[in-house]
Amino acid sequence: MQRDDAFLNAWRTAGTPVDDETAAGPAPGRPVQRYRTLWISDLHLGTPGCQAEALLDFLRHTECETLYLVGDIVDGWQLRRNWYWPQAHNDVVQKLLRKARKGTRVIFIPGNHDEFARRYLHLNFGGVTVAEDWVHETADGRKLWVIHGDLFDGVIQCAKWLAHVGDSLYEFTLRLNRHLNTLRARMGLPYWSLSQYLKRRVKRAVSYVDDFENAVAREAKKRGLQGVVCGHIHHAELRDIGGTLYANDGDWVESLTALAEQADGTLQILQWSEFLPAARHKAARKAAAAAKTAQHV
């Protein structure tokens, strides 16, 4: 608990961000994308698997009126086992605090990996409001229940020891994935998630995802709401389930995704890997090659 309290105290008392205004701003030639609302979750700060640089790129190139942090922002499970907090992770926290100071409404809904923060519900840390859940009203009048989702996970609720074992195996897969993507980057290939690939090919994992999505959607409908936004399972999705909108904003370990609301209430999944400089350069190279080929036809 001491490390949890130390982190929250640092969050509460954080001062001037480490990176200056120039470094924290968007890259030259890349416009800032503006949205009414953004949802992100499962950052897992405090673990080597967190894609902190990609996340910083996202935070620097997006603006919104309201930003929801939908749980597992900090990985307390991993930090208790092995303290890991590089500068990039601190920069992410500072960037979130800077957004709050500059007028973005930031709402933090803790998940199972940062469940220690549930002791601080209804408090405010550096302009960030901590809440158990939230009801968000879109610009077109729909009411969406915002939760992390771990309360609908039978493994978390009934066999937490098994969840910790799975978490360790998951970390091993992510370490393997980092080495694989280092090699892919040298070859000029885009980011690719090994763990997502494995999940899609295991029937039991697919069944688990379906059960989770249906359970969350049913509960939102029971509450008289038009939809639900959650995280937890690291699987970005936006679809209708029995007349209820189900939205999952994904994660920043594997998929690098966020959920965005446009000014008119339209929702979309942002695949941020497509906006990263490496992906943009590859797309530009492909377009240039295609144009060159067309000239010779």
Side-chain angles (χ1 to χ4, degrees):
M1 290 297 181
Q2 289 182 348
R3 283 177 172 174
D4 298 343
D5 292 333
F7 173 80
L8 285 170
N9 186 60
W11 185 293
R12 183 194 296 116
T13 60
T16 304
V18 174
D19 54 347
D20 61 26
E21 292 292 339
T22 302
R30 290 183 62 192
V32 172
Q33 300 183 39
R34 302 186 185 280
Y35 301 96
R36 183 173 186 263
T37 314
L38 287 170
W39 291 263
I40 57 175
S41 74
D42 299 273
L43 314 186
H44 290 275
L45 293 167
T47 70
C50 172
Q51 301 285 332
E53 294 297 341
L55 179 57
L56 282 167
D57 186 84
F58 167 81
L59 294 173
R60 288 167 179 159
H61 293 90
T62 58
E63 293 292 345
C64 60
E65 297 173 20
T66 304
L67 173 62
Y68 288 96
L69 307 175
V70 195
D72 287 359
I73 304 305
V74 178
D75 197 319
W77 292 8
Q78 288 290 329
L79 288 175
R80 289 188 192 105
R81 291 199 292 262
N82 181 35
W83 186 260
Y84 177 84
W85 197 262
Q87 183 60 53
H89 293 207
N90 197 56
D91 291 345
V92 168
V93 173
Q94 297 287 7
K95 185 60 178 173
L96 291 171
L97 293 171
R98 174 178 282 148
K99 283 183 177 291
R101 286 199 303 272
K102 290 193 170 182
T104 299
R105 187 184 192 191
V106 182
I107 299 169
F108 170 32
I109 297 169
N112 50 300
H113 282 262
D114 47 20
E115 60 190 348
F116 59 83
R118 288 173 175 160
R119 291 181 288 149
Y120 302 93
L121 298 178
H122 314 301
L123 297 181
N124 187 290
F125 295 93
V128 178
T129 299
V130 184
E132 184 174 10
D133 60 1
W134 206 269
V135 175
H136 173 81
E137 185 168 350
T138 62
D140 53 8
R142 291 174 292 172
K143 291 185 177 180
L144 308 178
W145 186 33
V146 185
I147 57 166
H148 178 63
D150 58 297
L151 297 179
F152 295 87
D153 185 335
V155 174
I156 296 295
Q157 297 306 312
C158 303
K160 198 168 184 178
W161 65 271
L162 184 58
H164 281 277
V165 171
D167 187 56
S168 297
L169 293 173
Y170 181 57
E171 278 296 311
F172 171 76
T173 303
L174 292 178
R175 285 198 298 271
L176 182 60
N177 195 59
R178 284 196 297 276
H179 293 303
L180 178 61
N181 275 291
T182 298
L183 179 60
R184 287 175 63 85
R186 289 173 182 168
M187 297 170 64
L189 297 173
Y191 177 83
W192 179 73
S193 174
L194 171 63
S195 52
Q196 281 197 331
Y197 173 83
L198 294 174
K199 284 179 185 177
R200 286 195 296 267
R201 279 150 181 79
V202 179
K203 283 187 177 181
R204 189 166 293 178
V206 172
S207 175
Y208 162 80
V209 169
D210 286 342
D211 291 346
F212 173 86
E213 293 174 344
N214 290 328
V216 173
R218 280 197 304 270
E219 182 61 27
K221 190 172 186 177
K222 273 187 194 177
R223 293 171 179 247
L225 303 171
Q226 287 72 56
V228 59
V229 179
C230 60
H232 185 57
I233 59 172
H234 295 209
H235 181 72
E237 188 71 85
L238 184 60
R239 66 189 179 98
D240 180 273
I241 299 179
T244 300
L245 175 67
Y246 170 83
N248 192 303
D249 57 33
D251 69 282
W252 288 85
V253 175
E254 303 173 66
S255 56
L256 314 185
T257 54
L259 179 69
E261 179 194 2
Q262 302 282 3
D264 62 358
T266 301
L267 298 176
Q268 67 180 117
I269 298 291
L270 299 179
Q271 301 279 352
W272 201 253
S273 58
E274 298 174 1
F275 295 94
L276 291 173
R280 290 163 60 88
H281 291 161
K282 185 183 179 187
R285 288 197 302 270
K286 286 179 69 176
K292 187 175 181 179
T293 301
Q295 290 175 358
H296 290 85
V297 173

